[in-house]
RNA sequence: GCCGCUGUAGCUCAGUGGUAGAGCGCACCCUUGGUAAGGGUGAGGUCACGGGUUCAAGUCCCGUCAGCGGCUCCA
């Protein structure tokens, strides 16, 4: 008879098998009421699950009013809400919509479904679907689990004609799918089900579970692993949010499904709060603020994914670049400038071409050469563009000690097509700068920094405001160092990140350390070097003091890396910068320095762009500050608001005094009332408003109103304001601190 | 690239196959004021672009381009 161990270590013995609900009730009526599910030996089960053996059990409960709900409870509610939504959709839009897969997510849930041709599932139906969901929740139907032998259940699902469920069932039982064939990855794990070895006998032994929302055979039901909350009312409040499309199994050659997103919360108030937060977040979107504050512009005629930095945004960017450049100088970096294009041979040497050709703008080829190629077939042109001379191939193969350039890419000189690439990376240019002069170990490390603009052919559907673009400027640098110097240089990169994030008050970022896959042999460089470099990356990440994760298999083939990831206002994660150790580039470009032994040695190269690109970083910053930049970054730092035109003269004097102190300032010369001028300045998120009227003119004072304050802070002498603001700007303070 | 949605004034958006609309912004005029919108007048349109259906298209259909939400991808 089962003895149950509770999380606090206490045990309870029962004289017959017990359900989760029994256990909860044995502890207290309140707990029984609040319980949603149980965890048996760490595995979440329905509350009605029967335990007939000794186990450690924890109860998952709904939160008391005013208390935060546990992530586990939310996940349960949302998974259950996905069922409710699917039922509602089938009620509203028709049973011929085939359900595929509906899991909970971090902030809600979705359900992928196949909508037959000719049928439309559009957001017009959301009101009806939401109403139906509310009804189902109110009906408080029990989630009723029942099991069927695998083969029997499978036959039933096949008869029902939903191949997606058949596929789910087959995969749940460890059978190969009879309906889903993937060209890409046949062994790919099915949605959410554990991958198990193929075992035909398993189908007969296995059972499949179904959940009826109510009575099996009478109410709506779905093949589902569970677990669920006890009944629909325990979901609280749920709603459908948006439509998107998704591929079956994420496979673009497979069926296209409609993905319906929704979310659920324990109460309507919490749901409303979430929706309101979403709305607020949308207002912080850098694309919205960028337009309102005229920070940047994207013009169809210029091209998608190409950012035009308007004057206001350019100020923000310039301030940031100046800041970063000053920090780099402190760290011993030297600045370089390189052009926006480089010859094809450069990228054949580096390996970027043709390996990443799909992610690049096509090559720039001379007009005469194009004329010569006019009669060639497309594939012939590509062959010639991608071809490599014998000399270049021999050099690379020798230096990389492998057949890096295969024989079939080697062409006679007269067949080779010369041309240029818009540069997708800065490293080849920097490597050439390093190689342009001899280096002694005494000069190492050589740190070459450039705000280098690169161009990449991103898929059109991926472009997104400033966060995903086709042309961008990296805060790039390459550190050419000896192997011993690697840990110290990585540490230096991260301390730079720390300084800058701290100054900007950015705490919401995480760090991923990409390590090599222990089972793979694709990596270059000795395993001792790798061990040291990986250890250095981990140690450096640890010293940052933010959350970091080790990601085996995420390293580049040429070395381990550290990535910085931030979230935007709508919860999407963006990779900002990266620090990558590279054991390959030195070989590719035949780089060397003379060591103490008077012999040449290969330098290790560290690529680092801690903020990724100015575009993405500024986009993230706009959202971080919601457009309300600290004074040092603000496009306009002060606006002078004369009470009336009678005070215009003094307003201009104030402006002149501030301008002389290098403050970005403007006078509002409109003939509006002061109330209107205050409103406009507030909308423009100007840090300081200086209201000046006859009183101020007489006393040579300014009445200060800082952004975010409801009222004026009082008057202060003009000179004192200028001094205080200059100091705030010079020290890059995050808060607006100038006070009378 | 794929799926869905969207595209009307500088911005935010109404618009039922029958004369192109509002608010904000902008220009000018009145108002000269002490902290989140004073009043008036006016200018401003290839209804994204190209085809088609129709007596008639901003509206319906097809295509293209772009934006948005996802999917896939991301050195």
């Amino acid at each position: 008879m089962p003895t149950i161990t509770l999380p606090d270590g206490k045990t309870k013995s029962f004289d017959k098998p017990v359900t989760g609900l029994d256990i909860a009730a044995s502890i207290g009526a309140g707990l029984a009421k609040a319980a949603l599910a149980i965890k048996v030996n760490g595995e979440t089960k329905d509350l009605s699950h029967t335990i007939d053996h000794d186990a450690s059990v924890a109860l998952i409960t709904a939160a008391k009013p005013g208390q935060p709900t546990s992530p586990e409870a939310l996940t349960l509610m949302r998974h259950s809400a996905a069922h409710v939504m699917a039922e509602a959709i089938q009620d509203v839009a028709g049973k011929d919509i085939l359900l595929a897969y509906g899991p909970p997510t971090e902030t809600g849930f979705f359900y992928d479904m196949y909508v037959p041709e000719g049928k439309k599932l559009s957001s017009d139906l959301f009101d009806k679907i939401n109403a139906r969901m509310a009804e189902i929740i109110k009906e408080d139907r029990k989630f009723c689990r029942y099991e069927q032998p695998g083969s029997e259940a499978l036959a039933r699902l096949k008869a029902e004609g939903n191949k997606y469920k058949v596929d789910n069932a087959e995969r749940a039982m460890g059978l190969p799918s009879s309906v889903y064939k993937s060209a890409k990855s046949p062994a790919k794990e099915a949605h959410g089900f554990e991958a198990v070895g193929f075992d035909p006998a398993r189908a007969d032994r296995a059972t499949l579970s179904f959940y009826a929302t109510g009575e099996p055979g009478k109410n709506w039901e779905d093949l589902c692993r569970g677990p669920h909350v006890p009944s629909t009312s325990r979901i609280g409040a749920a709603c459908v949010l948006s439509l998107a499309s998704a591929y079956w199994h994420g496979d673009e050659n497979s069926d296209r499904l409609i993905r319906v997103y929704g979310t659920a919360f324990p109460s309507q108030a919490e749901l409303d709060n979430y929706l309101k937060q979403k709305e607020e977040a949308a207002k912080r979107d850098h694309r919205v603020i960028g337009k309102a504050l005229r920070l940047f512009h994207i013009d169809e005629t210029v091209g998608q994914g190409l950012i035009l930095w308007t004057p206001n945004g350019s100020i923000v960017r310039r301030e940031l670049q100046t800041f970063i450049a000053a920090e780099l100088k402190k760290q011993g970096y030297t600045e370089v400038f390189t052009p926006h294009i480089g010859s094809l041979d450069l990228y054949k040497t580096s390996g970027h071409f043709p390996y990443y050709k799909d992610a690049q703008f096509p090559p720039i080829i001379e007009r005469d050469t194009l004329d010569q190629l006019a009669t060639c077939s497309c594939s012939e042109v590509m062959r010639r563009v991608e071809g490599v001379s014998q000399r270049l191939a021999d050099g690379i193969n020798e230096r990389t000690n492998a057949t890096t350039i295969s024989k079939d890419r080697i062409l006679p000189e007269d067949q080779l097509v010369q041309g240029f690439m818009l540069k997708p990376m800065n490293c080849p240019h920097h490597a050439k700068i390093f190689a342009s002069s001899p280096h002694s170990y005494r000069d190492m490390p050589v740190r070459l920094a450039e705000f280098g603009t690169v161009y990449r052919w991103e898929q059109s559907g991926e472009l997104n405001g400033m966060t995903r673009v086709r042309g961008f400027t990296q805060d790039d640098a390459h550190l050419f160092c000896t192997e011993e110097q690697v840990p110290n240089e990585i540490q230096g990169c991260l301390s730079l990140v720390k300084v800058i994030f701290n100054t900007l008050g950015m705490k919401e970022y995480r760090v991923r350390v990409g390590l090599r896959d222990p089972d793979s042999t694709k990596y270059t460089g000795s395993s001792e070097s790798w061990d040291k470099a990986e250890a250095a990356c981990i140690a450096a990440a640890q010293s940052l003091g933010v959350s970091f994760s080790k990601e085996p298999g995420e390293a580049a083939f040429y070395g381990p890396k550290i990535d910085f990831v931030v979230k935007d206002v709508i919860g999407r994660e963006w990779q900002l910068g990266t620090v990558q150790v590279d054991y390959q580039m030195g070989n590719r470009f035949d780089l060397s320095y003379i060591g103490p032994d008077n012999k040449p040695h290969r330098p290790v190269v560290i690529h680092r762009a801690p903020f990724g690109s100015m575009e993405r970083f500024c986009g993230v910053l706009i959202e971080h500050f919601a457009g309300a930049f600290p004074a040092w970054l603000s496009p306009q730092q002060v606006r002078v608001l004369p009470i009336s035109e009678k005070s215009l003269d003094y307003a201009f004097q104030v402006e002149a005094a501030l301008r002389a102190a290098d403050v970005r300032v403007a006078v509002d010369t409109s003939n509006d009332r002061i109330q209107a001028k205050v409103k406009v300045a507030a909308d423009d998120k100007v840090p300081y408003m200086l209201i000046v009227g006859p009183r101020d003119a007489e006393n040579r004072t300014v009445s200060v109103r800082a952004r975010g304050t409801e009222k004026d802070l009082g008057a202060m002498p003009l000179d004192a304001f200028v001094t205080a603001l200059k100091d705030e700007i010079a020290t890059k303070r995050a808060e607006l601190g100038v006070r009378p």
Side-chain angles (χ1 to χ4, degrees):
Chain A
M1 289 302 103
T3 296
I4 303 300
T5 309
L6 295 165
D8 60 4
K10 286 186 189 146
T11 57
K12 268 185 174 285
S13 293
F14 294 87
D15 53 10
K16 55 179 198 280
V18 286
T19 67
L21 186 61
D22 294 335
I23 296 170
S26 78
I27 299 169
L31 189 60
K33 217 176 147 190
L36 294 175
I38 47 167
K39 250 178 151 173
V40 183
N41 298 328
E43 204 179 333
T44 308
K45 299 273 189 192
D46 290 333
L47 199 60
S48 57
H49 178 73
T50 304
I51 304 164
D52 55 10
H53 50 272
D54 292 356
S56 62
V57 168
L59 286 147
I60 298 173
T61 55
K64 293 189 185 107
Q67 303 265 313
T69 309
S70 71
E72 282 168 325
L74 277 175
T75 299
L76 275 167
M77 289 174 192
R78 288 166 179 172
H79 183 193
S80 301
H83 280 225
V84 171
M85 184 183 77
E87 178 179 346
I89 288 173
Q90 289 196 320
D91 284 351
V92 169
K95 301 273 187 286
D96 53 346
I97 289 174
L98 299 181
L99 302 174
Y101 168 58
T105 64
E106 206 182 311
T107 57
F109 58 87
F110 63 79
Y111 214 123
D112 283 349
M113 39 192 84
Y114 174 77
V115 178
E117 217 153 308
K119 195 165 194 110
K120 230 177 176 180
L121 185 59
S122 80
S123 47
D124 300 347
L125 293 173
F126 282 7
D127 284 347
K128 278 187 185 169
I129 294 167
N130 282 332
R132 182 66 190 127
M133 283 167 76
E135 274 172 25
I136 297 168
I137 289 171
K138 204 172 166 202
E139 284 165 19
D140 195 21
R141 303 206 298 255
K142 288 193 168 22
F143 280 98
C144 179
R145 179 192 176 99
Y146 69 93
E147 294 181 356
Q148 269 189 322
S151 45
E152 190 183 318
L154 199 55
R156 164 188 159 185
L157 289 168
K158 281 183 175 165
E160 284 172 4
N162 180 334
K163 66 175 177 175
Y164 310 105
K165 289 291 169 190
V166 171
D167 176 65
N168 287 348
E170 285 170 339
R171 277 156 194 274
M173 294 187 291
L175 297 170
S177 178
S178 63
V179 283
Y180 173 74
K181 300 278 181 285
S182 169
K184 250 166 63 188
S185 48
K188 198 172 166 183
E189 191 179 313
H191 298 304
F193 291 106
E194 285 165 44
V196 283
F198 172 54
D199 178 3
R202 203 183 153 111
D204 295 325
R205 287 206 308 271
T207 56
L208 287 173
S209 58
F210 292 81
Y211 277 82
T213 312
E215 223 174 288
K218 194 177 148 202
N219 288 107
W220 188 90
E221 52 190 84
D222 193 12
L223 169 74
C224 179
R225 180 173 54 172
H228 283 281
V229 296
S231 65
T232 57
S233 74
R234 308 300 294 277
I235 291 166
C239 75
V240 52
L241 291 174
S242 61
L243 295 174
S245 93
Y247 300 109
W248 191 26
H249 287 251
D251 176 354
E252 63 178 319
N253 299 312
S254 182
D255 299 7
R256 279 183 285 272
L257 305 173
I258 302 286
R259 177 167 293 181
V260 190
Y261 282 90
T263 194
F265 283 89
S267 68
Q268 188 63 42
E270 283 160 278
L271 176 61
D272 290 344
N273 188 41
Y274 169 79
L275 294 175
K276 210 176 138 199
Q277 269 179 19
K278 255 186 85 150
E279 229 169 87
E280 287 302 311
K283 287 185 199 156
R284 287 175 77 112
D285 192 313
H286 75 279
R287 293 163 299 189
V288 174
I289 292 176
K291 197 177 259 183
L293 300 185
R294 301 190 188 286
L295 295 168
F296 68 95
H297 174 65
I298 298 170
D299 194 282
E300 211 182 300
T301 310
V302 173
Q304 15 166 209
L306 301 172
I307 302 296
L308 301 175
W309 291 80
T310 48
N312 286 346
S314 299
I315 289 170
V316 177
R317 169 172 166 170
R318 173 58 64 199
E319 289 293 343
L320 268 176
Q321 277 187 210
T322 305
F323 175 37
I324 294 170
E327 291 299 318
L328 291 180
K329 206 170 164 190
K330 285 184 202 163
Q331 283 202 13
Y333 284 70
T334 49
E335 190 173 25
V336 297
F337 295 99
T338 63
H340 286 218
I341 66 172
S343 79
L344 269 172
D345 271 0
L346 179 70
Y347 299 103
K348 286 172 187 170
T349 304
S350 70
H352 292 117
F353 190 86
Y355 192 63
Y356 293 116
K357 68 178 176 196
D358 291 343
Q360 297 170 4
F361 281 85
I364 301 163
I365 295 170
E366 267 183 62
R367 208 171 278 124
D368 288 352
T369 313
L370 278 178
D371 284 343
Q372 287 165 29
L373 293 169
T375 54
C376 295
S377 69
C378 205
S379 59
E380 174 63 9
V381 171
M382 283 319 294
R383 195 179 72 92
R384 290 220 209 161
V385 171
E386 292 171 16
V388 173
S389 69
Q390 186 75 52
R391 208 172 124 250
L392 188 60
D394 287 349
I396 292 171
N397 288 343
E398 191 193 321
R399 296 196 295 270
T400 56
N401 201 17
T403 315
T404 303
I405 306 290
S406 61
K407 244 190 181 152
D408 56 319
R409 274 190 63 204
I410 300 169
L411 298 181
E413 297 280 349
D414 62 345
Q415 284 191 22
L416 290 170
V417 172
Q418 304 297 328
F420 295 87
M421 303 287 308
L422 270 175
K423 67 176 173 188
M425 303 198 106
N426 300 304
C427 39
H429 288 79
H430 291 184
K432 284 299 184 184
I433 289 176
F434 178 83
S436 69
S437 63
H439 296 277
S440 153
Y441 72 97
R442 295 170 184 276
D443 313 329
M444 305 287 273
V446 172
R447 307 184 184 96
L448 303 180
E450 177 181 17
F451 287 95
T453 306
V454 298
Y455 300 89
R456 298 180 189 179
W457 185 261
E458 303 288 352
Q459 294 189 72
S460 63
E462 262 312 323
L463 299 172
N464 185 283
M466 295 181 107
T467 45
R468 190 79 183 258
V469 293
R470 283 182 172 164
F472 54 95
T473 302
Q474 296 180 307
D475 61 316
D476 209 1
H478 293 89
L479 315 178
F480 300 85
C481 56
T482 68
E483 207 160 283
E484 295 71 41
Q485 290 168 334
V486 168
N488 201 32
E489 291 308 303
I490 294 175
Q491 197 69 51
C493 293
L494 267 65
S495 70
L496 174 76
V497 169
K498 200 165 183 174
V499 167
I500 290 171
F501 278 8
N502 279 348
T503 304
L504 294 166
M506 295 177 77
K507 293 180 185 74
E508 297 291 309
Y509 66 101
R510 65 187 185 90
V511 175
R512 286 191 305 225
V513 183
L515 307 173
R516 65 196 190 282
D517 178 351
D519 300 330
S520 172
T521 54
K522 68 173 182 178
Y523 302 101
T524 61
S526 74
S527 72
E528 299 83 63
S529 309
W530 270 87
D531 288 342
K532 280 187 212 156
E534 288 187 345
C537 286
I538 292 166
Q542 261 162 348
S543 73
L544 259 187
V546 296
S547 77
F548 83 100
S549 57
K550 297 179 198 173
E551 314 270 350
E554 288 299 304
F557 72 90
Y558 50 74
K561 64 175 180 177
I562 299 171
D563 292 333
F564 306 96
V565 179
V566 294
K567 261 187 196 173
D568 70 9
V569 290
I570 49 178
R572 281 184 297 214
E573 284 200 322
W574 296 100
Q575 184 178 319
L576 280 186
T578 179
V579 176
Q580 301 189 357
V581 185
D582 187 341
Y583 296 106
Q584 181 68 358
M585 195 161 107
N587 294 332
R588 283 282 195 158
F589 283 99
D590 198 16
L591 304 179
S592 67
Y593 65 93
I594 303 301
D597 55 0
N598 199 30
K599 285 181 184 149
H601 296 269
R602 285 269 181 255
V604 180
V605 180
I606 298 174
H607 308 250
R608 39 114 291 167
F611 308 104
S613 73
M614 298 317 292
E615 284 75 8
R616 183 175 289 180
F617 192 55
C618 284
V620 168
L621 265 191
I622 291 168
E623 299 191 357
H624 172 67
F625 290 120
F629 295 105
W632 70 277
L633 275 176
S634 272
Q636 192 176 95
Q637 294 163 322
V638 174
R639 187 171 298 173
V640 185
L641 314 182
I643 292 292
S644 79
E645 282 172 19
K646 288 176 184 163
S647 301
L648 254 183
D649 277 349
Y650 179 59
F652 286 130
Q653 287 173 35
V654 171
E655 183 191 33
L658 285 159
R659 188 158 289 154
D662 227 6
V663 171
R664 295 186 288 268
V665 56
V667 178
D668 186 339
T669 57
S670 69
N671 64 358
D672 286 319
R673 298 195 312 161
I674 191 67
Q675 285 85 342
K677 294 178 191 178
V678 167
K679 161 111 173 46
V680 170
D683 284 349
D684 290 346
K685 300 185 197 285
V686 179
Y688 291 102
M689 300 178 211
L690 298 183
I691 288 92
V692 294
R695 284 204 303 265
D696 299 288
E698 196 170 321
N699 303 324
R700 208 167 168 76
T701 58
V702 290
S703 298
V704 180
R705 178 164 170 160
R707 184 182 58 211
T709 48
E710 290 289 319
K711 284 172 59 184
D712 64 322
L713 301 162
M716 71 191 289
L718 171 60
D719 294 345
F721 177 81
V722 172
T723 307
L725 181 60
K726 266 175 78 173
D727 182 60
E728 176 169 318
I729 292 167
T731 54
K732 299 186 169 52
R733 279 208 286 279
E735 306 298 328
L736 304 181
V738 180
R739 295 290 179 270

